[in-house]
Amino acid sequence: MNHSTALGWIDYDISGSFDWDSAQVRRLARHLGYHLVWPDGRSLLRVVDQARNAAADLVILPAPDHLSPLELNAVMDVADVETVVPRLSFARWTFVKVAP
């Protein structure tokens, strides 16, 4: 079993039902074997900064539209991203060092 940390992220402006979305995020985290943490609701930090501060290996979203394309790109610098519906996986960016 994986004991890595996942950050649950729900955009309140997008969510039709916060309780349903949070239950689905919790279920996916449990299914994948991650310890789920939630961001501080009062924080003004970007999602990428909250994922970094939580040392999250994964960010779980109810759906892809809970992050803008630019936010998704930034998060993928520090963590993988999984969505519940549709079930999608986005692997974090890898950096290859090219020898001179």
Side-chain angles (χ1 to χ4, degrees):
M1 178 179 269
N2 189 349
H3 293 289
S4 298
T5 300
L7 177 73
W9 180 261
I10 298 172
D11 184 329
Y12 291 96
D13 295 331
I14 301 294
S15 179
S17 172
F18 179 80
D19 291 338
W20 174 255
D21 285 344
S22 62
Q24 294 301 306
V25 168
R26 283 192 308 272
R27 185 186 66 74
L28 182 56
R30 187 172 47 252
H31 173 74
L32 296 174
Y34 282 84
H35 169 72
L36 183 65
V37 298
W38 294 96
D40 181 348
R42 298 166 293 177
S43 178
L44 299 177
L45 292 176
R46 296 174 30 207
V47 180
V48 65
D49 296 324
Q50 293 194 49
R52 186 180 298 112
N53 289 347
D57 297 300
L58 175 68
V59 175
I60 303 176
L61 314 169
D65 60 349
H66 284 252
L67 285 181
S68 73
L70 291 176
E71 290 173 308
L72 175 62
N73 182 58
V75 169
M76 288 172 55
D77 280 339
V78 299
D80 297 333
V81 177
E82 298 277 344
T83 64
V84 176
V85 176
R87 187 69 182 85
L88 298 171
S89 300
F90 301 91
R92 78 181 78 197
W93 299 119
T94 58
F95 297 97
V96 178
K97 187 173 184 178
V98 178

